[in-house]
Each structure stands twice: as C-alpha cells, then as structure tokens.
Amino acid sequence: RLEVACGDRRRRNVVLGHPTPADYLASTDYIGGTIGRYANRIAGGRFELDNELVEVATHDRGNHLHGGPDGFDRRIWDVVEHDRAHAVLRLVSPDGDQGFPGELTATARFEVGDDRVAITLTAVTGAPTVVNLTSHAYFNLDGDGAGTIDHHELGIPAQAYTPVDPTGGPIEGHAPVADTPFDFRIARSIGGSLRQGHQQIAWARGIDHNYVIDGSGMRTAATLESLRTRTRLEV
C-alpha cells in the first residue's frame, strides 16, 4: 500500500497489492514485488559472463523473466530492523540459485518521510555475477480497486521505442513513435493506444516496451496524471 493525499484532498492507496502473503506467492503478475536476481528478460535464459556461458531458469516463452520461476518476489524475506518510519529486509540467495553464479545477499530498505517514500535496494555477491533489482509497483492514481487506468494521461518525452518479438525480447534497433500507439510526446489518455490493432500491442499484451528517452542525465522520463483525482506521478 502507498496511501497519499490526492489532488482532490481525498486519501487513497494508489498502488495495487494482494491481501495476504499466500496471494502474493500464488500471483504471476509480480504486483508489488521486489524483483531479483534479474529484472526484465534474459533471452533464451543464456548470457556470457567472463567468457563463459551461463544458463538460467526459463519460464516466460522460453526466456528468463524477473529472476526466474522462483524469483525474489516469491521468497519470504527476513525483517532485520524496523521502526515507525522504516523497515529493512534481507534475502540470501545461494550460489546457483535459478542458475546464477555466486551467493548473493540482497537488502531492501523502505523508508517513509514527511512527503516521500524511499526504496533502496543493494546487493553483495561472493563471485562475479549479474544483478538487476527493482521494485515492481503498479500505480492507479484513482486508488486501488477504482477500475481501469484507461483515462490516465501519459506523457513520455521519447522519439523512439524498442520493438519486441512475440516472446517479449527486444528486436535489434529502435523504431520511431510517430504515427503509432506509442507516441506520448504530447500527454494523452492510455486507453486509446491500448485498443489499437497494432502488432506490437498484441505481442506484448499492452505497452510493455522500452522507450528511448530524449536527452541525457537525470531528467523526466514519464508523467502520469489522473484528472479525476487531480493526482500526478512523475518518473
């Protein structure tokens, strides 16, 4: 849960979640999960590390996704410290877990301030390996259970995006967003794009793509706004 005072002054939980630990463990949607060892896809479950081929577990159309069939989102983490304003969780992943080399100790720190929530993810490994942790939050700025986000207005300052193949893996090169459902250079509602008969939308079952954000360095990557609750999210 992430409860905020929305723009209309009503307090809402604006991220999706499950009611019990059992529901999280049974879910296949990664809702609210801390993802590891490796977020996103590893094509064919194979990569090269120090000139050696590493094979990891696959479960998503032949690819490794979000840490594999038994990723970090499906583990019970240890709470190592907490108070009213923060909690620190730890998970030890043994050498060979899901095929990854090296024992890895992951730490997730969640901290609440006056007007901010900070999530800090760190990892220490006992051998050369790859690691890519993330927090997999789903936002609905109208509140959890309020319906679809079709009317949410999305803005993405990008001239290009990365097309994917039918398994969700990237196709070499980028494609222009102009004259496609992926064009959010001027903010507009999401629903219209999702319902266009575009091959990329069909393969990804929605917009699940990398955008080539304009500029460099720390900058705005996306904005999302609900006019109903006058609430705005900036990435």
Side-chain angles (χ1 to χ4, degrees):
R1 298 179 65 84
L2 176 60
E3 294 191 3
V4 301
C6 294
D8 61 2
R9 299 185 179 181
R10 285 185 55 190
R11 195 167 182 83
R12 293 177 176 87
N13 169 38
V14 294
V15 299
L16 308 188
H18 293 298
T20 70
D23 290 318
Y24 278 100
L25 294 175
S27 174
T28 60
D29 296 319
Y30 304 99
I31 290 177
T34 298
I35 304 300
R37 286 188 186 192
Y38 204 88
N40 217 324
R41 292 173 178 83
I42 298 176
R46 294 183 297 273
F47 63 93
E48 192 173 281
L49 179 67
D50 292 340
N51 297 317
E52 292 189 6
L53 182 65
V54 177
E55 296 194 40
V56 292
T58 60
H59 67 301
D60 178 66
R61 294 168 286 179
N63 299 319
H64 175 98
L65 175 66
H66 291 339
D70 189 23
F72 287 3
D73 63 296
R74 305 185 64 78
R75 312 288 176 89
I76 302 297
W77 294 52
D78 294 322
V79 179
V80 295
E81 64 178 72
H82 69 93
D83 60 21
R84 288 178 57 85
H86 87 286
V88 178
L89 289 78
R90 181 179 297 148
L91 179 69
V92 178
S93 172
D95 179 33
D97 187 5
Q98 305 296 288
F100 291 99
E103 181 180 275
L104 183 140
T105 300
T107 302
R109 180 184 179 93
F110 299 85
E111 189 167 13
V112 180
D114 289 339
D115 60 355
R116 64 191 292 267
V117 176
I119 302 174
T120 306
L121 305 175
T122 60
V124 177
T125 180
T129 191
V130 295
V131 61
N132 184 29
L133 307 176
T134 193
S135 177
H136 206 281
Y138 286 77
F139 282 84
N140 186 332
L141 301 183
D142 291 344
D144 185 12
T148 75
I149 59 167
D150 283 2
H151 66 282
H152 281 37
E153 295 202 346
L154 177 64
I156 304 177
Q159 310 297 318
Y161 75 103
T162 308
V164 298
D165 64 25
T167 73
I171 298 173
E172 185 176 352
H174 306 303
V177 300
D179 300 319
T180 76
F182 298 92
D183 190 354
F184 292 96
R185 290 173 293 177
I186 297 175
R188 59 191 178 91
S189 62
I190 295 173
S193 288
L194 295 179
R195 281 152 186 79
Q196 292 188 31
H198 195 282
Q199 183 67 76
Q200 284 290 308
I201 298 289
W203 280 351
R205 299 190 296 275
I207 298 174
D208 187 16
H209 294 72
N210 168 69
Y211 275 85
V212 186
I213 304 300
D214 298 342
S216 62
M218 185 65 73
R219 62 205 189 278
T220 299
T223 59
L224 184 69
E225 187 169 11
S226 167
L227 301 181
R228 292 179 183 174
T229 63
R230 301 201 297 277
T231 306
R232 179 181 172 90
L233 171 69
E234 183 174 306
V235 180

